[in-house]
């Protein structure tokens, strides 16, 4: 976990002020990760896929395992 001292926060704020494109890049990456998370959730809850496969994937990702 990153250190959240005032100096660290000031450093990040300076980076964002000097490079506003960094925030856009971070927002784009976050959107991509949200999409991947939604895809994984659909897969884990898709009853057309074998239950053991979905349960194993959920366990590997430390997510709640589907019951059926």
């Amino acid at each position: 976990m990153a250190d959240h001292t005032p100096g660290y926060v000031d450093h990040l704020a300076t980076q964002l002020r000097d490079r506003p494109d960094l925030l856009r890049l971070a927002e784009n990456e976050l959107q991509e990760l949200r999409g991947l998370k939604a895809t994984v959730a659909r897969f884990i809850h898709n009853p057309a896929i074998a239950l053991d496969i979905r349960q194993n994937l959920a366990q590997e990702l430390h997510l709640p395992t589907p019951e059926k």
Side-chain angles (χ1 to χ4, degrees):
M1 181 84 110
D3 182 15
H4 291 92
T5 62
Y8 175 75
V9 173
D10 288 342
H11 175 71
L12 291 178
T14 299
Q15 283 183 324
L16 288 175
R17 185 191 67 228
D18 294 345
R19 298 261 329 264
D21 60 308
L22 292 178
L23 182 57
R24 184 178 320 276
L25 289 171
E27 288 172 341
N28 290 344
E29 187 172 344
L30 180 58
Q31 187 63 32
E32 183 178 333
L33 291 172
R34 286 181 176 149
L36 289 171
K37 183 178 178 182
T39 299
V40 169
R42 282 191 304 275
F43 183 92
I44 288 174
H45 296 290
N46 184 346
I49 298 169
L51 180 59
D52 63 325
I53 293 172
R54 296 183 290 127
Q55 287 175 330
N56 289 335
L57 177 60
Q59 288 172 355
E60 283 292 318
L61 297 174
H62 305 287
L63 299 171
T65 57
E67 299 297 321
K68 51 184 176 172

